[in-house]
Amino acid sequence: MTPDTTPAELEQALTDAADAAEPLAASEPAVRAGWIRAAADALDAAADELVPIAMRESSLPEPRLRGEVARSSGQLRMFADVLEEGSLLEVIIDTADPQAKPVPRPDLRRVLVPLGPVLVFAASNFPFAFSVCGGDTASALAAGCPVIVKAHPGHPDLSVRTAEVMIEALRAAGAPDGTLGLIQGYDVGVTALKDPRITAAGFTGSVPAGKALHEIAVTRPEPIPFYGELGSLNPVFVTQAAVDARGNEIASGYVGSFTLGVGQFCTKPGLIFLPAGHGLDDQLIEATGAVAEAKMLNDRIAEGFSSGLDRLRKVDGVRVLSDGGATLLGTTATELLARREEILEECFGPVSIVVEYSSTDELRAAVEAFEGNLTATLHAEEGSDAELARELLPLLTARAGRVLWNGWPTGVAVSWAQHHGGPFPSTVGSIHTSVGVTAARRFQRPVAYQDTPDTVLPAVLRDANPAGISRRVNGTVTTGEVSR
């Protein structure tokens, strides 16, 4: 067992991060991008060493873990590209206009600056992509913030070795000492969260743990932003027209999605709503029964799944349709609406619930029964379901950060437009994402400089635009010089 970080070691990590904050913030975007690319290259180079450690500690298969390494290094490089392009800084320049009405306008130059040291609580279910080298770390480094990762106890050895690889790569590339650090232990993480040198925190985990840490963050003498991803049911709603057009495809896609990764994805579809008499029972039961039993991430998660499944089995109106390597439960919209709190509680693992509805009114009521989710999915036909879709999409939009049409929520593309977040309780910060380019926005704040001499401005705000980055000048996006 990896020992907890000692108080002296924690103090050193916090001191190093605080010392790194100023030089990291002052680094030119292209220079910072070079550091981040060096970490990505080192991660890829160490894959043959890191993946076997991850297999041993997480029970996840090699192809999945190698895919995670590629995803992690890929998103590091994506942030490096965006840094060089300039959009990450959101530079906006309004030059002085003495003739502006009703009053003259001063010269205003706005840019996003880093908050300072960030504490990242790693997740259990993605040992690379949401851990030491994951999206929170990548986006915070791109924002110009030193990062201290609180390792997840589910993969401690992997966390240590991954941190060593990245720290050495960053140091060799010229990044300040303290750019990345690692700590171990729950109480150690809480102590770090309370430290005034930490300016923001990211978290992926359970609702109880996330709420407790959020409370600590916002009740400090100087409150800080806490970006917590907590839990999500990711409901899927299917119309009769969609069943008629491609029912078999929907059934197989659903089972594949809720059993992917032994049901341990934060975007697992926890419920599917089908019209009564849908005729897919046999296929759903057969597909679920064919899922082989597999080991979960760790004993604690397996115990939590077993307990949650036992609780769901005992809910009145819920019946077992298939049981084995995965479990399929069934109920009706009427029963769900009568026992909403009992049924709409996430069970992390390979289980999902088929809910039958008897009318569009019941379908609408079922949508409205949900709180915030990371995703919500509608399977419908564009022509015959257009009117119903126009009615349901706003309801889904109010309850989810990503709304899918005729797809499955497992699998989160790392891209410019991605949003991985949602209303509470899926996250405690629905206006932000933890995946995609704009994830860096969580660790930045805007500053506007007014009538400041060009010679003393940050380089990215100067008239000459020496880095050639993208900027909005007097309302127009440009990469050229400022003309007055």
Side-chain angles (χ1 to χ4, degrees):
M1 179 180 293
T2 305
D4 286 357
T5 299
T6 66
E9 291 169 336
L10 175 59
E11 174 59 29
Q12 188 63 58
L14 290 164
T15 298
D16 290 346
D19 289 345
E22 185 174 341
L24 191 56
S27 61
E28 295 296 327
V31 173
R32 198 184 309 157
W35 299 339
I36 292 172
R37 282 202 185 91
D41 292 345
L43 186 62
D44 284 338
D48 288 345
E49 176 192 0
L50 297 176
V51 167
I53 303 174
M55 292 172 64
R56 170 171 53 81
E57 291 191 320
S58 70
S59 300
L60 293 173
E62 181 175 355
R64 151 75 187 273
L65 291 166
R66 288 194 178 276
E68 266 197 62
V69 172
R71 172 191 169 119
S72 300
S73 61
Q75 70 185 348
L76 284 164
R77 294 189 182 96
M78 178 189 71
F79 278 113
D81 291 344
V82 177
L83 266 173
E84 290 179 333
E85 184 269 343
S87 295
L88 203 69
L89 304 177
E90 291 185 15
V91 173
I92 304 174
I93 297 174
D94 292 328
T95 57
D97 184 0
Q99 306 305 317
K101 305 297 181 182
V103 295
R105 185 180 73 202
D107 184 278
L108 290 166
R109 302 182 181 223
R110 181 183 185 272
V111 65
L112 298 182
V113 301
L115 292 178
V118 169
L119 178 63
V120 170
F121 289 86
S124 64
N125 57 338
F126 285 87
F128 293 105
F130 281 84
S131 189
V132 174
C133 58
D136 284 349
T137 298
S139 57
L141 291 177
C145 298
V147 176
I148 295 176
V149 178
K150 205 293 285 183
H152 195 279
H155 45 266
D157 292 344
L158 177 67
S159 299
V160 169
R161 188 65 191 116
T162 303
E164 289 173 345
V165 168
M166 292 187 67
I167 290 168
E168 177 55 34
L170 289 165
R171 181 181 294 118
D177 288 343
T179 296
L180 179 65
L182 183 76
I183 58 175
Q184 305 255 15
Y186 177 80
D187 291 338
V188 175
V190 170
T191 301
L193 184 61
K194 294 177 179 179
D195 193 278
R197 289 166 287 191
I198 294 297
T199 61
F203 169 86
T204 303
S206 69
V207 173
K211 288 176 69 174
L213 292 171
H214 177 251
E215 181 69 14
I216 292 170
V218 300
T219 57
R220 294 180 3 159
E222 182 181 355
I224 60 171
F226 179 88
Y227 304 108
E229 180 190 321
L230 310 185
S232 187
L233 293 166
N234 308 300
V236 177
F237 302 92
V238 185
T239 68
Q240 183 63 59
V243 171
D244 293 342
R246 48 197 166 81
N248 291 339
E249 177 187 331
I250 289 171
S252 60
Y254 162 62
V255 174
S257 186
F258 91 77
T259 61
L260 185 65
V262 202
Q264 298 168 115
F265 278 34
C266 52
T267 51
K268 179 200 79 174
L271 305 95
I272 189 169
F273 290 78
L274 293 169
H278 51 79
L280 300 176
D281 293 293
D282 290 345
Q283 184 176 347
L284 288 167
I285 291 170
E286 181 180 355
T288 305
V291 175
E293 188 171 350
K295 190 174 181 180
M296 301 190 75
L297 288 161
N298 55 58
D299 291 342
R300 183 183 62 81
I301 289 176
E303 290 167 4
F305 169 67
S306 179
S307 174
L309 183 57
D310 286 345
R311 178 190 58 76
L312 280 174
R313 290 175 188 270
K314 295 174 183 176
V315 176
D316 288 342
V318 173
R319 62 192 187 281
V320 177
L321 302 178
S322 180
D323 207 6
T327 300
L328 189 66
L329 304 176
T331 190
T332 65
T334 300
E335 295 286 358
L336 181 144
L337 293 170
R339 298 170 178 82
R340 169 180 158 178
E341 291 188 3
E342 295 175 89
I343 295 175
L344 298 185
E345 182 177 335
E346 183 181 17
C347 183
F348 191 70
V351 61
S352 192
I353 306 173
V354 176
V355 185
E356 295 188 358
Y357 63 90
S358 59
S359 66
T360 55
D361 286 342
E362 270 199 348
L363 177 60
R364 188 183 306 107
V367 173
E368 293 174 338
F370 282 87
E371 296 182 304
N373 278 271
L374 294 172
T375 74
T377 300
L378 180 62
H379 277 267
E381 294 302 293
E382 186 175 354
S384 58
D385 284 328
E387 183 177 349
L388 178 60
R390 282 192 290 268
E391 180 182 353
L392 292 180
L393 282 177
L395 299 178
L396 299 177
T397 300
R399 291 163 174 79
R402 180 162 55 110
V403 178
L404 293 87
W405 177 272
N406 291 352
W408 300 104
T410 40
V412 184
V414 181
S415 70
W416 279 75
Q418 186 58 270
H419 184 80
H420 188 63
F424 185 84
S426 61
T427 74
V428 293
S430 62
I431 63 174
H432 290 290
T433 179
S434 62
V435 178
V437 168
T438 56
R441 187 63 183 84
R442 297 172 296 168
F443 308 120
Q444 298 169 297
R445 65 179 180 87
V447 174
Y449 294 86
Q450 181 169 325
D451 291 332
T452 305
D454 191 75
T455 54
V456 299
L457 280 168
V460 295
L461 296 178
R462 293 175 191 163
D463 285 347
N465 191 13
I469 66 170
S470 173
R471 310 191 295 186
R472 184 174 293 277
V473 180
N474 295 327
T476 300
V477 176
T478 177
T479 57
E481 296 184 13
V482 173
S483 57
R484 295 175 181 269

